[in-house]
């Protein structure tokens, strides 16, 4: 008996087939290879029907697209091995698109790379005059340098430090120097008609409490009312302390309150608050941005027992060493606020900081140039020239980048020595941040989300069941993109269970 000739693993045993069958097998293999190329459609679409999903897409995504009635041309996909950089799947990945908030990944990675994880914003403070028996015979001057984390808590720390230094009364003015940033005046409601959403607050070199207030509603069922608190408190602004409860469902609880947020003198609630909602918080941008800083400082200083004889005004800091300097939390910590909660205003602060620290000017043209130069270093001049940088947040109609370009930047982030800080700032799918609602890859992916009216996407690093990490960029472009997040979930789950090379 003869011994069968051994074959190499993975080599098809086609040599024993008849010639006709070998030819048929060759034709079938060629057809399959053609269909598997990214961007190749499987068949012409019947008139009036939903286009068939291309064969180049993974089967779970084809099924998800068909189930949602979404044309495959609406999906852009890039999947890459994070360690080797090998491209695993690409569908319409080289087409430039509006990435919405996914562009924050670019801004954050550039800032981490250029400024370092321990970078801190420094805010100088001057006691511009002699301090005698608790009275400052001059002005208190604060110079903003772009710190995005001037929260009410940190403002209290500043006030406490001033009071502990013996300062009780400021005989002059409180001067705020915000000249480090040059920001053009804009209509806060111009982008989406929501001027009171905190994400529409404009950046500022001295951004105090993000020029927003947070109203918190705490039900007291026994008393039949919800108690209302506000942070931070503002001078000359009253808040109705309670609102009646209702037994109805939570639903549109904000609309049911019938609030008066445009009234800068008194916040009233002419409706009711559903007890089924439990405790809820409602953040609102202050409707009169020009008066916010003065109202905030007067309230803080008065609550601390201080006295201000002069007024709160804009001005210029002295040309000498400051009395002391306040430092922000490190950049690595601030990035978590920006990325996990997709904070547009803080992303804009970071964008202008790149211009200030790397280009010498805190304005949008300089920040764009700094970011374009960084992209050229990372992707090459030709690739960077195809990317359109408008601002740092992605809250833009002009920004353009392809899924492949974004994916390559993510792969570089994974391979960087700064990877732990970079990755920790991203939302964890199904767990926290804007990705908490994700139904795909729960606990197995760090993914930034992005959405506009006609864009929905996810991008980040997915931890596969086989122990390998992979880059995923999946973006839907459709006039009702938000309705099709099930497709994005399917993409995440497929990458988690990635079966190997196509």
């Amino acid at each position: 008996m003869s011994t069968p000739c051994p074959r190499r693993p993975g080599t098809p045993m086609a040599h024993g087939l008849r010639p006709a069958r070998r030819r048929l097998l060759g034709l079938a293999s060629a057809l399959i290879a053609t269909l598997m190329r990214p961007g190749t459609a499987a068949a012409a679409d019947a008139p009036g029907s939903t286009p068939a999903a291309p064969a180049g897409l993974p089967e779970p995504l084809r099924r998800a697209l068909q189930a949602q009635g979404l044309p495959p041309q609406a999906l852009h996909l890039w999947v890459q091995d994070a360690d080797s950089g090998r491209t695993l799947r690409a569908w319409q990945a080289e087409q430039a698109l509006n990435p919405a908030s996914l562009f924050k990944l670019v801004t954050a990675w550039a800032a981490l790379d250029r400024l370092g994880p321990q970078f801190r914003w420094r805010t100088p403070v001057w006691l511009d005059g002699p301090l005698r028996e608790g009275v400052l015979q001059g002005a208190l001057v604060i110079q903003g340098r772009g710190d995005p984390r001037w929260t009410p808590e940190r403002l209290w720390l500043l006030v406490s430090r001033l009071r502990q230094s013996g300062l009780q009364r400021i005989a002059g003015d409180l001067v705020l120097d915000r000249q480090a940033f040059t920001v053009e005046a804009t209509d806060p409601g111009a982008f989406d008609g929501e001027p009171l959403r905190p994400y529409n607050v404009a950046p500022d070199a001295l951004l105090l409490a993000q020029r927003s207030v947070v109203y918190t509603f705490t039900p007291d069922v026994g008393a039949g009312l919800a108690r209302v608190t506000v942070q931070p408190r503002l001078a000359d602004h009253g808040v109705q302390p309670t609102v009646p409860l209702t037994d109805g469902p939570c639903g549109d609880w904000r609309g049911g309150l019938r609030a008066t947020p445009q009234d800068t003198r008194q916040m009233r609630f002419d409706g009711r608050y559903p007890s089924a909602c439990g405790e809820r918080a409602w953040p609102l941008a202050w409707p009169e941005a020009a008066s916010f800083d003065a109202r905030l400082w007067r309230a803080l200083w008065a609550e601390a027992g201080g006295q201000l004889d002069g007024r709160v005004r804009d001005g210029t800091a002295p040309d000498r060493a400051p009395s002391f300097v306040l430092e922000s939390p490190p950049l690595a910590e601030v990035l978590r606020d920006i990325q996990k909660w997709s904070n547009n205003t803080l992303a804009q602060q970071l964008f202008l900081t790149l211009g200030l620290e790397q280009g010498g000017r805190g304005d949008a043209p300089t920040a764009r140039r700094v970011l374009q130069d960084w992209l050229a270093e990372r992707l090459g001049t030709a690739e960077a020239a195809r990317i359109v940088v408008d601002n740092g947040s992605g809250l833009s109609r002009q920004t353009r980048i392809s899924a492949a370009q974004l994916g390559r930047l993510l792969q570089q982030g994974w391979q960087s020595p700064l990877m732990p800080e970079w990755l920790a700032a991203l939302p964890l799918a199904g767990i926290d941040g804007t990705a908490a609602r994700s139904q795909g890859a729960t606990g197995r992916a760090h993914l930034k989300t992005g959405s506009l009216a006609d864009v929905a996407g996810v991008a980040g690093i997915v931890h596969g069941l086989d122990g390998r990490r992979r880059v995923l960029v999946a973006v839907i472009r459709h006039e009702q993109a938000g309705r099709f997040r099930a497709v994005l979930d399917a993409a995440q789950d497929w990458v988690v269970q990635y079966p190997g090379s196509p």
Side-chain angles (χ1 to χ4, degrees):
M1 180 180 294
S2 62
T3 302
C5 178
R7 67 184 180 93
R8 294 188 304 272
T11 303
M13 297 182 65
H15 57 274
L17 298 176
R18 294 177 181 177
R21 293 184 64 188
R22 287 204 301 270
R23 286 196 296 273
L24 181 60
L25 178 61
L27 289 172
S29 298
L31 177 60
I32 291 172
T34 299
L35 290 176
M36 290 298 285
R37 292 186 195 126
T40 303
D45 302 315
S49 67
T50 300
L57 288 172
E59 181 62 26
L61 266 68
R62 291 197 298 163
R63 291 196 300 266
L65 287 165
Q66 291 168 353
Q68 296 289 316
L70 184 67
Q73 290 78 12
L75 178 64
H76 299 253
L77 179 70
W78 176 263
V79 182
Q80 184 179 18
D81 186 88
D83 292 310
S84 69
R86 184 167 62 94
T87 303
L88 304 177
R89 285 294 173 97
W91 171 252
Q92 302 193 126
E94 299 293 347
Q95 294 183 16
L97 53 83
N98 188 333
S101 284
L102 297 184
F103 197 79
K104 290 184 180 71
L105 289 163
V106 179
T107 305
W109 175 210
L112 194 61
D113 189 36
R114 282 285 194 250
L115 304 177
Q118 285 302 311
F119 172 81
R120 296 172 186 263
W121 286 263
R122 293 167 58 83
T123 302
V125 178
W126 287 263
L127 301 181
D128 197 19
L131 179 60
R132 298 191 182 97
E133 297 181 347
V135 179
L136 175 60
Q137 304 292 336
L140 176 67
V141 184
I142 304 174
Q143 184 185 55
R145 300 286 298 175
D147 187 344
R149 280 285 298 272
W150 271 117
T151 61
E153 295 84 357
R154 288 189 63 223
L155 286 167
W156 261 113
L157 291 176
L158 170 57
V159 169
S160 175
R161 178 167 180 172
L162 291 168
R163 293 291 282 119
Q164 289 183 56
S165 71
L167 180 57
Q168 300 174 13
R169 173 185 159 203
I170 303 171
D173 295 336
L174 175 58
V175 179
L176 306 179
D177 184 344
R178 57 184 83 250
Q179 298 173 75
F181 283 178
T182 302
V183 182
E184 295 181 2
T186 58
D187 175 6
F191 186 82
D192 58 4
E194 297 282 357
L196 298 185
R197 293 291 183 93
Y199 63 70
N200 276 324
V201 171
D204 195 284
L206 192 60
L207 186 69
L208 305 180
Q210 203 172 329
R211 288 186 178 155
S212 300
V213 294
V214 180
Y215 299 94
T216 300
F217 302 85
T218 305
D220 184 341
V221 177
L225 51 82
R227 305 190 186 280
V228 184
T229 57
V230 60
Q231 287 295 333
R233 295 188 63 85
L234 302 179
D236 303 319
H237 177 61
V239 179
Q240 181 178 319
T242 63
V243 59
L245 288 178
T246 179
D247 294 330
C250 191
D252 180 19
W253 62 273
R254 295 179 181 180
L257 285 169
R258 294 165 56 195
T260 60
Q262 295 283 2
D263 188 345
T264 61
R265 302 290 298 180
Q266 174 73 37
M267 180 61 148
R268 301 189 313 277
F269 305 102
D270 297 328
R272 292 176 176 270
Y273 181 77
S275 57
C277 289
E279 185 173 88
R280 295 288 180 102
W282 186 5
L284 284 168
W286 185 248
E288 189 181 80
S291 71
F292 182 84
D293 292 349
R295 289 172 180 265
L296 175 61
W297 274 106
R298 287 190 175 278
L300 283 172
W301 193 239
E303 287 180 8
Q307 180 180 340
L308 174 62
D309 293 353
R311 59 194 179 95
V312 181
R313 61 177 177 85
D314 287 351
T316 303
D319 187 17
R320 57 181 172 79
S323 303
F324 59 90
V325 175
L326 299 166
E327 290 192 340
S328 75
L331 174 61
E333 182 178 327
V334 175
L335 286 181
R336 289 198 287 272
D337 289 343
I338 295 174
Q339 299 279 62
K340 284 188 179 289
W341 303 106
S342 201
N343 191 304
N344 294 300
T345 303
L346 300 196
Q348 290 288 73
Q349 293 286 116
L350 183 58
F351 179 65
L352 294 177
T353 297
L354 273 171
L356 181 63
E357 297 292 333
Q358 296 289 300
R361 295 178 60 88
D363 57 31
T366 305
R368 292 188 193 106
R369 176 175 56 79
V370 169
L371 201 49
Q372 287 284 179
D373 290 346
W374 178 82
L375 287 166
E377 291 181 14
R378 285 286 171 180
L379 299 176
T381 303
E383 281 293 297
R386 296 171 50 211
I387 299 172
V388 179
V389 177
D390 182 22
N391 59 45
S393 70
L395 196 68
S396 164
R397 304 295 181 193
Q398 287 74 45
T399 302
R400 293 291 184 275
I401 191 171
S402 73
Q405 290 167 330
L406 183 56
R408 293 180 190 117
L409 290 171
L410 291 175
Q411 196 259 343
Q412 292 178 18
W414 171 259
Q415 292 192 327
S416 165
L418 300 174
M419 181 274 290
E421 289 79 8
W422 172 78
L423 193 67
L426 298 181
L428 189 57
I431 304 295
D432 69 0
T434 58
R437 297 187 299 271
S438 174
Q439 300 298 310
T442 298
R444 301 193 68 91
H446 284 85
L447 294 171
K448 179 75 188 71
T449 61
S451 62
L452 291 174
D454 53 355
V455 177
V458 293
I461 303 294
V462 179
H463 186 176
L465 292 175
D466 59 359
R468 296 189 67 83
R469 267 74 167 187
R470 297 178 178 93
V471 175
L472 167 66
V473 180
V475 181
I476 294 171
R477 291 198 296 179
H478 188 276
E479 60 185 5
Q480 295 178 313
R483 289 178 46 207
F484 303 106
R485 290 196 172 274
V487 175
L488 302 178
D489 292 338
Q492 296 168 47
D493 282 335
W494 179 77
V495 176
V496 167
Q497 303 173 51
Y498 184 73
S501 300

